[in-house]
Amino acid sequence: MAEGKRLKSAYAGIDRNKFYSLADAVKVIKAGAVAKFDETVEIALNLGVDPRHADQMVRGVVELPHGTGKTVRVAVFAKGDKAEEARKAGADIIGADDLFEIVNGGTMDFDRCIATPDMMGLVGRLGKVLGPRGLMPNPKLGTVTANVTEAIRAAKAGQVQFRVEKAGIVHAGIGKASFAEDKLAENVKAFVDAINKAKPQGAKGTYLKKVSLSSTMGPGVKLEIASIGA
């Protein structure tokens, strides 16, 4: 009952039919995030693409200027000097055949998976395990690389991977409700800019159709696309 009252109260201050400017939307989202934990602020974009067609797939990575506020656990598949480099760079889990056995057994206590190129013969066999969870290392996303130090730094700093879903929707966490309003707004703009830069050649008509913000437990608000600078 208390949860229902809280949601009702949060929705009471929102016009569900209104398109808010980015600045106003951030204010509303922060005001509605009254849970007992630091809620994640999430963005959802409806794109004019059909990802069933290869030339309309939207996928990429963006490093948010103010991070996500989330502690990211990084696993690295590497051997020898590269394993030591990963250790010095702050990787949480490092291994090769031993890590393969752990992951293949269904234990994935990490948020990002990085692999050196020489390890992909091994890691490739984990496609059915890592793929569905969006954890499969990919050179286009910078997670198959010899520069493990930079890949770990980026992951820890708040790098966000994105991929359009079947209905043409992309969503991601872009910060925490405790973030200052200007920092949330800058993260939103950076994320939308990355989506625009990832526009596929096959996209026809209006590409960025709708953008909305919400918090983990709070209501969503629709954004004026023009206010994002898109």
Side-chain angles (χ1 to χ4, degrees):
M1 182 65 72
E3 186 71 11
K5 287 182 178 179
R6 187 194 64 76
L7 275 175
K8 187 175 181 181
S9 175
Y11 275 96
I14 294 176
D15 182 346
R16 304 302 302 283
N17 297 312
K18 177 180 178 179
F19 286 84
Y20 289 79
S21 69
L22 176 56
D24 287 343
V26 168
K27 283 186 174 69
V28 169
I29 293 301
K30 280 177 64 68
V34 294
K36 294 180 180 179
F37 61 93
D38 193 6
E39 297 183 45
T40 296
V41 176
E42 300 169 351
I43 189 169
L45 303 93
N46 290 67
L47 305 179
V49 298
D50 183 348
R52 292 176 298 179
H53 301 286
D55 65 347
Q56 293 187 48
M57 172 54 67
V58 179
R59 185 177 188 182
V61 63
V62 56
E63 191 166 328
L64 300 178
H66 304 291
T68 63
K70 177 183 178 182
T71 299
V72 178
R73 286 181 58 80
V74 178
V76 178
F77 280 91
K79 289 182 177 180
D81 292 344
K82 287 300 176 181
E84 182 59 27
E85 181 184 336
R87 190 170 290 106
K88 289 180 179 178
D92 300 279
I93 305 168
I94 306 160
D97 295 276
D98 53 340
L99 183 53
F100 173 91
E101 294 300 333
I102 292 170
V103 174
N104 198 40
T107 300
M108 282 160 282
D109 187 23
F110 50 85
D111 308 292
R112 185 68 57 85
C113 186
I114 296 165
T116 54
D118 62 302
M119 296 300 297
M120 285 309 294
L122 179 69
V123 179
R125 291 156 52 194
L126 294 170
K128 290 183 179 179
V129 181
L130 294 172
R133 294 170 176 79
L135 293 170
M136 188 67 186
N138 186 314
K140 292 182 179 179
L141 300 178
T143 46
V144 176
T145 176
N147 190 350
V148 294
T149 297
E150 172 58 21
I152 294 166
R153 184 208 62 78
K156 296 277 188 180
Q159 189 185 66
V160 175
Q161 296 179 357
F162 57 85
R163 179 172 181 155
V164 67
E165 298 175 354
K166 289 181 180 179
I169 297 172
V170 174
H171 60 82
I174 52 85
K176 294 289 185 178
S178 61
F179 281 22
E181 292 175 12
D182 60 335
K183 291 184 177 181
L184 281 173
E186 287 169 15
N187 276 1
V188 168
K189 288 182 178 181
F191 188 83
V192 174
D193 184 55
I195 294 294
N196 279 325
K197 288 179 178 177
K199 181 179 179 179
Q201 291 184 340
K204 298 177 177 64
T206 302
Y207 176 57
L208 199 58
K209 299 171 74 174
K210 189 172 80 172
V211 182
S212 62
L213 284 182
S214 64
S215 63
T216 306
M217 304 295 290
V221 298
K222 294 184 286 188
L223 288 183
E224 291 176 350
I225 292 178
S227 73
I228 313 171

